[in-house]
Amino acid sequence: MDRRSVRLLKYGAAISLTCAAVAHAADRPLIQAMAWLDPAQHLDALTTEPRRHAAVQDQQALAGEALFHTPTLLGGQAAKAGLSCASCHENGRDNPAFLFSNVSGKPGTADVTSSFFSSHRGNAIFDPVKIPDLTVPGKISRAADSQQELEKFIRDLIVEEFNGQEPSSTVLSALAYYVRSLSSAPAKTRIALKVDSQLIAVDQTVLAAKEAQQDGDLKLSHLLLASARHRLGLIHERYAGNGLTKQRSALVSASRQLGRLQEIEDEADFSKALAHWETSYRKTRKLVSDKQHLSLYDPKVLTAALAQSAN
């Protein structure tokens, strides 16, 4: 990966960590995702999530899931807005609360030929369609022996629908592997969105980055580290208020350490720096988890904050 790409990844991750600091600015929502969620569904959409369901949970599936949650993968206007694949497809499902200005019609829809996101597929026609549930097989074959039909479809979405950079074959393989693992799912069930699940996802993503680095795939490793930093930013914005200064500082420190990891190419140096991060991150996880009841992950706290921001 060239230096410009690394700078873009680090810049995108750093932007995520500014959300809480500017949450009270007039042009910024309390939580970034509110920019593309139906106001009538804010509370439920921000405090619950679809239950995760995957046929496998091995390292490649975890890497694919992490990439699925990475805005920098899409690039262009989507990345600037903080949108990832998961913004439209919550944990691989649809998103009935998705409502992006000039892209959605009614909630749960999106215009996939919008010129706002794509210079390739923009057709100057407002024609939003229902966001599909990826656990339900569609027109694109998901069979592993289908001449990589799913990989080609995902590549075209990234490059043509969202103006993203050309993904590597390993990135496409991981994404396709994750989507294939979602090919069957039970009835929709929403569960409480907890900070612990987000913190665990950061840990898993960093471990996937370590494996990619060991395999010599620095591009995938850098993308995964950017994904982990993005998730830390999403946690950071939920820890607003004077009583959570330590938590915010710890999250910023964890993200900056990951940023330094993105610059390391030597495997031994990477492993040493990662071990240092893991030791520090264990303390951060406990520090953050212990104060969840004061954060915007708590429905009561979020309800009060939403009411205040509306005034």
Side-chain angles (χ1 to χ4, degrees):
M1 178 175 282
D2 57 38
R3 292 184 179 275
R4 178 176 178 274
S5 297
V6 172
R7 286 199 301 271
L8 287 173
L9 287 175
K10 294 183 70 177
Y11 175 75
I15 287 296
S16 297
L17 281 166
T18 66
C19 294
V22 297
H24 297 295
D27 60 341
R28 292 281 184 169
L30 185 68
I31 294 174
Q32 186 182 33
M34 291 170 62
W36 60 78
L37 292 173
D38 176 16
Q41 302 183 61
H42 274 167
L43 184 60
D44 183 60
L46 294 170
T47 58
T48 67
E49 62 178 344
R51 186 181 296 278
R52 286 177 170 81
H53 179 80
V56 291
Q57 280 291 331
D58 58 22
Q59 201 65 23
Q60 189 172 16
L62 292 174
E65 182 178 14
L67 293 169
F68 199 77
H69 286 78
T70 308
T72 47
L73 175 74
L74 298 181
Q77 293 298 325
K80 290 180 181 179
L83 289 168
S84 67
C85 301
S87 299
C88 286
H89 306 282
E90 284 190 291
N91 292 339
R93 310 301 296 250
D94 54 6
N95 186 352
F98 186 84
L99 187 65
F100 197 100
S101 179
N102 298 318
V103 172
S104 299
K106 61 182 182 179
T109 66
D111 181 0
V112 297
T113 56
S114 169
S115 298
F116 178 77
F117 289 129
S118 174
S119 59
H120 302 279
R121 294 189 177 182
N123 62 3
I125 300 174
F126 185 59
D127 50 358
V129 297
K130 186 180 184 301
I131 295 171
D133 182 340
L134 300 185
T135 67
V136 179
K139 297 179 181 179
I140 305 301
S141 173
R142 300 188 187 187
D145 60 352
S146 62
Q147 298 184 340
Q148 294 194 317
E149 187 174 344
L150 180 58
E151 284 84 349
K152 291 176 183 177
F153 179 75
I154 293 173
R155 178 267 172 199
D156 290 346
L157 287 178
I158 294 171
V159 176
E160 297 182 4
E161 189 171 318
F162 291 101
N163 285 350
Q165 292 187 6
E166 191 73 42
S168 69
S169 59
T170 49
V171 166
L172 285 177
S173 294
L175 282 165
Y177 190 83
Y178 170 67
V179 173
R180 288 188 177 104
S181 77
L182 300 170
S183 60
S184 62
K188 293 181 182 180
T189 303
R190 294 189 72 87
I191 59 175
L193 176 62
K194 301 287 188 179
V195 72
D196 286 343
S197 65
Q198 304 300 306
L199 290 165
I200 291 171
V202 172
D203 202 1
Q204 292 174 332
T205 301
V206 173
L207 290 177
K210 177 183 179 180
E211 184 173 273
Q213 200 272 352
Q214 291 174 337
D215 291 340
D217 194 337
L218 295 180
K219 184 173 183 178
L220 176 57
S221 179
H222 290 155
L223 261 175
L224 290 169
L225 289 172
S227 178
R229 298 188 72 192
H230 174 68
R231 282 189 183 265
L232 287 170
L234 297 182
I235 297 170
H236 182 276
E237 69 178 354
R238 298 270 188 150
Y239 280 70
N242 295 331
L244 297 171
T245 303
K246 289 183 179 179
Q247 285 71 25
R248 291 196 300 276
S249 296
L251 289 164
V252 169
S253 177
S255 179
R256 286 175 177 169
Q257 288 181 51
L258 291 182
R260 288 191 284 272
L261 279 170
Q262 288 178 281
E263 299 175 343
I264 300 174
E265 297 187 7
D266 180 79
E267 184 176 330
D269 291 342
F270 185 93
S271 296
K272 183 178 179 181
L274 179 60
H276 176 73
W277 179 86
E278 289 172 330
T279 298
S280 176
Y281 184 63
R282 282 194 291 270
K283 298 176 182 178
T284 297
R285 281 179 62 175
K286 185 176 188 312
L287 187 68
V288 171
S289 181
D290 287 349
K291 297 296 182 181
Q292 176 179 271
H293 64 287
L294 299 178
S295 75
L296 296 177
Y297 282 101
D298 186 279
K300 292 182 180 178
V301 176
L302 179 59
T303 298
L306 290 174
Q308 183 177 0
S309 65
N311 295 329

